Amino acid sequence: MINKTVLVTGGAGYIGTHTVLHLLLAGFKTVVIDNLHNSSQIAILRVKKLAGDFGNNLSFHKADLRDRDALEQIFVSTKFDAVIHFAGLKAVGESVQKPLLYYNNNLSGAITLLEVMAAHGCKKLVFSSSATVYGWPKEVPCTEEFPLSAANPYGRTKLIIEEICRDVCSAEPDWKIILLRFFNPVGAHPSGYIGEDPQGIPNNLMPFVQQVAVGRRPALTVFGNDYNTIDGTGVRDYIHVVDLADGHVAALLKLDESNIGCEVYNLGTGKGTSVLEMVRAFEQASGKKIPLVIAGRRPGDAEIVYASIEKAGRELKWKAKYGIDEMCRDQWNWASKNPHGYGSQEDSTD
Ligand code: UD1
């Protein structure tokens, strides 16, 4: 038994739930805070069940990070060894339409969290950043030292929070912060019991493909087939969400090392896959045909993005285990069992 307690903000969301499950199974006591804006409490109930006896080490608070009093109360009642910060808005298009909403939610949330952590002497943090901070990279694979940029307010919030974390560590060297730059998380837990359940029209490729496969949408629109890639479609580094969850446990263990300051790691597979390759792998896994409509490029999209995975391998002793076939298999397992996400069926808690 590790006997450590971790606060997970946004722990009811897609990546959060998978990470919370891994933390519980690794022996951590886990407290989730989530405002349930784009997530469901059913997901928390399912994580509890999947964790078996370890599920007793999970507790949940429905609250917004900007609610300082609520956050204070949580820190008064529990002493945390570390925090993993996922909570935030993440729809790129919406962030362009409503920049203040994004700056208020993502930045105020992060600042309030850091302030309350400091006030309670908890100075270990793992923050969910994104490969979006590499913009349109001049070359691949992207190493952690690449120049950073933001093409939209959502990306800018990630970049600014990274900078805030660096400044906090420089000012107060007793802070230890790990910034994890996720590439493209896909798939679901192999049980098919938890997975991604976006509200409204999905922005990202695989949730959209999944909704086409279950008949909720007629066809996938492919954004551009004139890129300089294997088949003209955009290339990304898709990573199984279970591998990503594992990466968080590795980062948490790294925080126990002395003198780490503020460190950044890519979490990807180091392999690029095109949109059409991904669709083909999903068709294979699901036995479903995905009708395609070829359209123009989506503004702000890069041509090829994939990660250099050396630093995470060397320093976190972490490497992704799964390939796109397993990602598609598990995504389909989740989608076919939950065609309407967590709204698919009544959940019993027994
Ligand atoms: C997007 C965001 C990025 C964010 C990441 C994870 C943009 C411009 N970038 O990255 O900031 O960090 O999600 O939330 O939105 N595609 C289609 N049809 C679709 C959807 C996507 O062809 O309906 C293509 C895209 O053009 C791209 C690939 O699929 O080539 C992956 O797209 P997506 O899943 O949205 O991820 P990113 O664009 O990498």
Side-chain angles (χ1 to χ4, degrees), residues 227-257:
Y227 287 110
N228 188 17
T229 61
I230 179 171
D231 53 25
T233 64
V235 166
R236 295 290 184 275
D237 186 338
Y238 297 94
I239 172 169
H240 198 299
V241 65
V242 167
D243 276 328
L244 208 51
D246 248 359
H248 283 78
V249 178
L252 213 49
L253 298 176
K254 178 82 181 170
L255 285 176
D256 285 336
E257 289 180 15

Side-chain angles (χ1 to χ4, degrees), residues 90-93 129-133 151-152 154-155 158 182-186 196 202-209 219-224 227 233-238 273-275 293 296-303 305:
K90 60 166 194 168
V92 172
S129 187
S130 164
T132 195
V133 299
N152 51 65
Y154 155 76
K158 293 290 182 195
F182 307 167
F183 281 67
N184 292 62
V186 299
E196 188 167 16
N203 299 294
N204 298 118
L205 178 65
M206 292 315 282
F208 203 102
V209 167
L220 170 73
T221 304
V222 176
F223 297 137
Y227 287 110
T233 64
V235 166
R236 295 290 184 275
D237 186 338
Y238 297 94
T273 304
S274 75
V275 173
V293 174
R297 296 180 178 195
R298 182 171 64 177
D301 265 356
E303 188 162 75
V305 187

